């Protein structure tokens, strides 16, 4: 039986780091759905398409191909890099992600990826929309200040010049956008377990989730949970 693990939560809560580590330890696939929204948001922005122009978005996306291979994403056949990891790309993801055409386009791809495998998928609507049948649903949170600091340190480590105050402002704006949109808003699934990572190390969060997975999933054919 496939084990499906959904990790949702706001920007900067540690979903990506934690989900990657859990997938690695279990020897199963990992899917960052937020990256897919960043890919589409940045692409549509660069094409000059308005987030409110549903007809133009639909027309543009009809010529777009997004593939997931070996943990990497390909847009129209070209591998996607760190250009989607900027704070601006995150804002584009939220603005365009509020459009039902974009969500329908990406949700279909995500459901297909998750349907036939054991997988750790992370995003904002995994447990509520993409994998409502997931055996394990985690809602990972942290204070805006902690999340801004994490993103600041991440981007600085990549040599990018960023402002902590601006990142904090953008995270608060992103939270508001993600939580208030009409289509698939950021909400905790009724059967999700909430974990606040503000004062926890990555390893502590990983261990908490692995214990939950042990209780709810049978992964005998996978790597030993440790």
């Amino acid at each position: 039986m496939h084990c499906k693990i959904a990790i949702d939560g706001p920007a900067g809560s540690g979903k990506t780091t934690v989900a990657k580590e859990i997938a690695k330890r279990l020897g199963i696939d990992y899917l960052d759905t937020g990256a897919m929204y960043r890919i589409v948001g940045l692409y549509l922005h660069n094409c000059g398409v308005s987030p409110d122009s549903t007809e133009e978005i639909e027309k543009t996306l009809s010529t777009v191909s997004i593939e997931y291979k070996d943990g990497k994403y390909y847009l129209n056949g070209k591998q996607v890099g760190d250009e989607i990891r900027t704070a601006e790309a995150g804002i584009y993801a939220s603005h365009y992600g509020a459009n039902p055409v974009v969500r329908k386009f990406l949700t279909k791809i995500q459901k297909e990826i998750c349907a036939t495998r054991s997988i750790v998928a992370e995003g904002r609507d995994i447990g509520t929309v993409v994998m409502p049948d997931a055996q394990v649903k985690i809602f990972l949170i942290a204070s805006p200040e902690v999340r801004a600091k994490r993103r600041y340190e991440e981007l600085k480590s990549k040599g990018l010049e960023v402002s902590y105050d601006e990142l904090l402002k953008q995270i608060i704006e992103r939270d508001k956008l993600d939580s208030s949109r009409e289509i698939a808003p950021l909400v905790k699934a009724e059967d999700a377990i909430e974990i606040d990572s503000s004062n926890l190390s990555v390893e502590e969060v990983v261990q908490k989730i692995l214990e939950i997975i042990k209780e709810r999933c049978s992964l005998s054919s996978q790597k030993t949970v440790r």
Side-chain angles (χ1 to χ4, degrees):
M1 185 175 102
H2 298 304
C3 181
K4 298 180 181 181
I5 303 156
I7 302 180
D8 290 308
S13 58
K15 301 186 305 295
T16 299
T17 302
V18 168
K20 280 182 178 178
E21 184 61 23
I22 289 172
K24 177 182 176 182
R25 295 195 190 189
L26 297 179
I28 62 178
D29 287 323
Y30 157 73
L31 181 69
D32 175 4
T33 62
M36 300 173 79
Y37 281 96
R38 286 170 174 263
I39 291 168
V40 168
L42 185 60
Y43 180 79
L44 291 172
H45 171 77
N46 289 341
C47 287
V49 179
S50 167
D52 301 319
S53 180
T54 297
E55 186 175 339
E56 196 172 356
I57 288 175
E58 192 165 21
K59 181 180 178 181
T60 303
L61 290 182
S62 69
T63 65
V64 169
S65 167
I66 295 180
E67 295 177 282
Y68 171 80
K69 299 177 183 177
D70 301 321
K72 298 180 178 61
Y73 302 90
Y74 295 82
L75 174 64
N76 295 332
K78 183 179 179 181
Q79 186 177 331
V80 177
D82 283 340
E83 68 273 11
I84 66 166
R85 295 302 177 184
T86 64
E88 289 76 15
I91 294 296
Y92 299 147
S94 194
H95 279 296
Y96 288 96
N99 190 294
V101 170
V102 172
R103 302 207 74 81
K104 181 179 179 181
F105 174 76
L106 287 177
T107 297
K108 180 176 183 292
I109 297 173
Q110 292 159 7
K111 282 179 173 288
E112 289 172 351
I113 292 171
C114 296
T116 59
R117 66 185 83 192
S118 290
I119 193 166
V120 181
E122 54 108 337
R124 285 166 179 73
D125 62 354
I126 309 303
T128 54
V129 177
V130 178
M131 289 199 306
D133 60 336
Q135 295 98 323
V136 176
K137 297 180 185 179
I138 303 297
F139 196 74
L140 192 61
I141 64 170
S143 70
E145 292 77 15
V146 167
R147 289 185 280 136
K149 182 181 178 183
R150 289 172 179 170
R151 187 58 55 87
Y152 174 82
E153 292 174 348
E154 175 191 355
L155 295 176
K156 287 288 285 186
S157 70
K158 294 178 179 178
L160 299 174
E161 288 299 319
V162 290
S163 160
Y164 167 82
D165 290 336
E166 184 61 27
L167 286 173
L168 178 59
K169 179 182 175 182
Q170 290 175 341
I171 278 177
I172 292 172
E173 178 185 353
R174 182 80 187 271
D175 286 350
K176 183 178 179 181
L177 286 169
D178 288 345
S179 300
S180 61
R181 65 183 179 228
E182 292 183 11
I183 307 296
L186 170 63
V187 292
K188 176 185 171 185
E190 289 185 5
D191 53 346
I193 297 173
E194 183 173 294
I195 297 176
D196 188 337
S197 69
S198 298
N199 298 310
L200 297 175
S201 67
V202 171
E203 181 60 25
E204 287 172 326
V205 175
V206 168
Q207 287 300 328
K208 280 179 176 287
I209 297 174
L210 287 176
E211 286 301 318
I212 296 167
I213 294 169
K214 276 185 180 180
E215 295 174 3
R216 303 190 179 188
C217 278
S218 174
L219 286 166
S220 58
S221 62
Q222 306 294 344
K223 293 181 181 178
T224 301
V225 176
R226 62 185 185 279

